[in-house]
Amino acid sequence: MHLRMIASIAALTLMGSGTAHAVSAGDDRQAVSAADDRQPDLSGFYTQEIKWGACKGLAHAPKGLQCGTVKVPLDYADPGKKTLNLAMARFKASVKDPRGSVVLNFGGPGGPGVPGLAGGEKVFGELTNAYDVVSFDPRGVGRSAPVTCGDGTDMPELEPPGDGGDETAFAFEMLKAQYELCRKHSGPVLAHMGTVNVSRDLDVIRSAVGDKKLNYLGFSYGTRLGAVYAAQFPKKVGRMVLDGVDTLTEPLTEQALVGAEGQQTALDNFLTWCAGNTGCALGTNSREAKENMVKLVKQLNRFPVSAGFGNFTGDDLVNSLGHALYQRDMWPYLSQALLSLVLDGDPRSLMRISGALTLAPTAGTGPRPRSDIGSYEEDVPYDNSTAALVAVNCADDPDRFTAADLEDEARLKKLEADFTEASPVFGPLRLYEVMLCAGYPKGTDYIRDIKDVDTPKFLMVGTRGDPATPYKWTTETARRLGDSAVVLDNKGEGHTGYASSKCVKGKVNDFLLHGSLPSDGSSCGPEGG
């Protein structure tokens, strides 16, 4: 194994892992763990009511936003022990007799729903014509017992092996040390991350808001959560929409590779646009701009620039690019931010894009809120979004890296080449994220086994130009979920369709508000801008 790769893993202080219990569908009183024949009493969780009040600690939160908490078990197999308080937010319905609530998940995994909803008042306001519009910070995210690996200052110093030393053993020592650091700072929630557990939390939330059926709108990772919920609680599914559909079957390595390819395509499109405009910091033609972007990332990793409270590295630049490229209307701002970095050595605009200067993560990988609204002012660790993403993905993936994988020099070289070919900018970091799961217990098989759910019909939106969740995942997942899935083909660009396509938003709202589903295979044309 290359020492450069080991060093890169060691440099990533955000590490997490978790296991999840696969469950069968349950009623409002009890649910059954597939790993245990017991039926633990959950009645106390399913009979609670949310005390809604003012939202404290949110930057510029809209006046109409209300906040509260929902209590869930830390471990559903043993609910009598520790519990978690999940942060909740809602906009009340604008009508006297709403048909209940619609719960939103903005993606990630690792995206907090409370600030996401606060920043999305205009985007989702029409839904208040029939619903209380609700969102939540999933377990381990935002203000719901956030996972964190600390600031890295207490990472133990391990001596790298010399020539002929056991590099694989050293890599595992680094991975173990980082996991222990994350467990130390996160507490017991780290061992109970994963979508299977979040889905069970979602059913408790459904009951706490007073609904017999869950009405749900999930974006990106939120579609994985929705699919798992449909499998666990098929009789509790109301009107459900999944936008930017995640895969249920591809292992994390394949997902990361596809994601890197999609991000690189989006970056190439941006750089071509940038080079065609006056003032592009990276060059005057697309080829020059693409080459200079790769050079800039490498240069910043070798020689970071000062960012006030720390250094801004090439990896930080890649993170900022990843956030900006989800929405085409961010391109002008990204171009100016890169100009500030290249000419003045000022990374602050790029850090604002990634949320680093708001002291909070963004609202996931679906529709993003305005950057000046809804961010947490305090209490949320800076690394929480990434630490939660790694913890959930590791818990959800049964095919994580093993010791044998790390010892397979030929396979590692092949993977490194494949990821670099997929994206010289995003590929290396995407591979390292996958490798962070190495050496830890196998993730759940439950998600991969989901198929032919027995639910009312629900809507799935796939966008042809989506850089993060390719359209093929929509059709593949629809086939797995069975006849209940109705696919809407959005022939547009960007990640998810609701916030960028009037056609998609109209069809989604028609379904959620009035129960009017488009026909399977219907489409929305591309829209300008």
Side-chain angles (χ1 to χ4, degrees):
M1 182 179 183
H2 300 301
L3 279 174
R4 184 181 68 78
M5 185 175 291
I6 295 173
S8 299
I9 296 173
L12 295 174
T13 60
L14 303 171
M15 172 59 193
S17 180
T19 57
H21 299 290
V23 300
S24 60
D27 62 18
D28 279 5
R29 300 293 177 180
Q30 295 182 336
V32 182
S33 168
D36 199 325
D37 291 334
R38 293 180 306 159
Q39 295 185 5
D41 182 13
L42 299 174
S43 59
F45 300 99
Y46 275 97
T47 56
Q48 65 184 300
E49 295 182 3
I50 303 172
K51 296 180 180 179
W52 297 103
C55 295
K56 299 179 180 179
L58 278 177
H60 311 295
K63 291 183 179 179
L65 190 72
Q66 297 178 318
C67 289
T69 60
V70 167
K71 183 178 292 186
V72 297
L74 173 68
D75 182 356
Y76 278 91
D78 195 0
K81 288 189 176 180
K82 295 183 178 180
T83 60
L84 304 172
N85 287 322
L86 305 183
M88 304 285 301
R90 75 170 179 180
F91 286 113
K92 288 198 69 176
S94 58
V95 294
K96 289 184 178 179
D97 296 313
R99 68 179 314 272
S101 299
V102 59
V103 181
L104 310 184
N105 180 280
F106 298 103
V114 172
L117 185 61
E121 181 180 18
K122 291 183 178 180
V123 177
F124 303 103
E126 188 177 343
L127 296 177
T128 61
N129 291 337
Y131 296 99
D132 292 342
V133 180
V134 176
S135 193
F136 67 106
D137 293 356
R139 60 171 59 210
V141 176
R143 285 184 169 171
S144 298
V147 294
T148 175
C149 302
D151 59 9
T153 57
D154 52 349
M155 181 70 182
E157 294 185 7
L158 299 176
E159 187 68 27
D163 292 341
D166 190 342
E167 296 179 352
T168 298
F170 173 71
F172 264 107
E173 286 302 311
M174 291 299 300
L175 290 169
K176 290 177 183 177
Q178 294 204 52
Y179 175 74
E180 290 302 320
L181 199 64
C182 296
R183 190 171 66 167
K184 168 188 172 183
H185 289 284
S186 299
V189 69
L190 188 63
H192 298 280
M193 298 290 283
T195 304
V196 174
N197 280 327
V198 178
S199 173
R200 301 189 72 173
D201 295 341
L202 186 57
D203 197 56
V204 173
I205 290 171
R206 172 199 58 75
S207 180
V209 298
D211 287 351
K212 293 183 179 180
K213 299 288 182 74
L214 175 72
N215 303 301
Y216 178 78
L217 174 55
F219 301 96
S220 192
Y221 163 76
T223 69
R224 189 197 311 173
L225 175 58
V228 171
Y229 184 90
Q232 287 182 305
F233 304 99
K235 303 305 180 185
K236 301 299 182 182
V237 173
R239 295 176 184 174
M240 176 176 287
V241 179
L242 310 179
D243 184 2
V245 181
D246 201 355
T247 179
L248 298 178
T249 57
E250 291 187 2
L252 189 58
T253 303
E254 295 302 319
Q255 293 180 48
L257 189 61
V258 170
E261 291 172 343
Q263 287 179 300
Q264 186 64 45
T265 298
L267 178 60
D268 289 346
N269 292 339
F270 161 74
L271 292 173
T272 299
W273 171 87
C274 180
N277 290 275
T278 303
C280 182
L282 296 168
T284 57
N285 62 74
S286 60
R287 180 177 179 179
E288 181 183 32
K290 294 171 186 177
E291 291 174 349
N292 285 336
M293 176 58 75
V294 175
K295 292 177 182 177
L296 181 60
V297 171
K298 292 180 178 179
Q299 178 182 336
L300 285 170
N301 275 330
R302 291 184 63 194
F303 306 106
V305 299
S306 175
F309 58 83
N311 290 327
F312 186 82
T313 67
D315 292 345
D316 293 324
L317 173 58
V318 172
N319 186 41
S320 296
L321 291 172
H323 282 80
L325 293 173
Y326 280 129
Q327 294 176 292
R328 196 184 187 284
D329 58 10
M330 287 288 291
W331 286 8
Y333 185 85
L334 176 59
S335 179
Q336 289 297 315
L338 288 168
L339 191 65
S340 296
L341 174 67
V342 172
L343 293 187
D344 304 323
D346 184 357
R348 288 176 296 176
S349 292
L350 287 163
M351 295 170 68
R352 291 188 182 96
I353 290 175
S354 66
L357 288 187
T358 65
L359 301 182
T362 61
T365 54
R368 298 175 61 224
R370 285 175 50 191
S371 60
D372 61 336
I373 291 179
S375 61
Y376 283 126
E377 294 175 334
E378 56 186 12
D379 299 337
V380 179
Y382 170 71
D383 69 329
N384 172 243
S385 183
T386 305
L389 181 147
V390 173
V392 172
N393 282 340
C394 290
D396 286 358
D397 183 25
D399 295 322
R400 63 181 58 191
F401 262 69
T402 65
D405 293 325
L406 287 182
E407 292 170 351
D408 190 341
E409 187 78 13
R411 184 181 183 224
L412 287 178
K413 288 181 178 179
K414 177 67 164 55
L415 281 173
E416 193 171 13
D418 288 346
F419 273 80
T420 302
E421 181 181 0
S423 173
V425 173
F426 295 100
L429 270 181
R430 297 301 294 261
L431 176 56
Y432 300 149
E433 287 175 3
V434 173
M435 294 179 68
L436 287 174
C437 294
Y440 289 88
K442 182 180 179 181
T444 178
D445 288 309
Y446 182 80
I447 296 174
R448 183 165 299 175
D449 292 338
I450 292 173
K451 60 182 179 180
D452 297 323
V453 295
D454 183 18
T455 69
K457 289 188 179 295
F458 55 87
L459 183 60
M460 302 177 69
V461 182
T463 299
R464 293 282 177 165
D466 195 315
T469 51
Y471 183 77
K472 71 171 185 175
W473 285 357
T474 301
T475 56
E476 290 173 355
T477 302
R479 285 195 296 270
R480 285 196 63 83
L481 295 179
D483 294 338
S484 296
V486 174
V487 173
L488 175 62
D489 181 356
N490 177 31
K491 300 181 185 300
E493 301 292 331
H495 186 36
T496 73
Y498 187 86
S500 59
S501 168
K502 292 180 180 178
C503 174
V504 170
K505 186 173 185 179
K507 291 183 183 298
V508 169
N509 286 356
D510 282 347
F511 174 52
L512 291 174
L513 296 173
H514 311 297
S516 177
L517 262 174
S519 58
D520 186 36
S522 60
S523 65
C524 285
E527 298 187 14

